[in-house]
Amino acid sequence: MAVAKRRDRPVVFRMTEEEYEALRAVSANSGARNVSDFVRSTVLASMATWGATSGAASGVSRSESLTEMSRTLAGLKDVVGRVAEKMEQISPEDLFPRETKK
């Protein structure tokens, strides 16, 4: 059986009454035990998405992750540009040939 780590670091922020009521409603609809559990799980999931938890464990910094994402996007932009150029060379008749009457 895994031993749960003690949660002893509080995080505090303020919300308007309307924001809190919306948070409470979303929390209840999510099936969370309470608002704190909902906020904690949402923040931890967000951290994992941004690489704050897994990135540190894998040794990849956020800067390195962003650099790799930039390279990937640049490559995709290049590919999309080449596809667009090829599409311009194709006539609509090549894509959608008209049916011939028999």
Side-chain angles (χ1 to χ4, degrees):
M1 177 184 227
V3 177
K5 290 184 179 182
R6 180 181 157 108
R7 293 185 174 117
D8 59 358
R9 301 297 303 192
V11 176
V12 179
F13 58 95
R14 299 197 178 276
M15 303 179 87
T16 65
E17 184 66 32
E18 293 82 16
E19 290 170 334
Y20 182 76
E21 288 305 317
L23 175 62
R24 201 168 61 90
V26 170
S27 174
N29 289 336
S30 76
R33 289 185 311 161
N34 53 47
V35 172
S36 291
D37 279 350
F38 175 76
V39 171
R40 181 184 311 106
S41 65
T42 302
V43 168
L44 292 174
S46 179
M47 288 171 59
T49 300
W50 283 94
T53 55
S54 60
S58 67
V60 176
S61 72
R62 179 171 288 167
S63 176
E64 291 169 322
S65 294
L66 290 174
T67 299
E68 181 60 28
M69 286 172 44
S70 292
R71 285 188 192 127
T72 301
L73 287 173
L76 287 171
K77 182 178 179 182
D78 181 53
V79 169
V80 168
R82 285 187 278 144
V83 169
E85 288 173 4
K86 294 289 185 189
M87 291 299 292
E88 288 174 1
Q89 297 171 3
I90 300 173
S91 71
E93 290 80 24
D94 292 337
L95 293 173
F96 306 104
R98 297 178 192 252
E99 291 184 25
T100 57
K101 294 183 181 179
K102 292 185 179 181

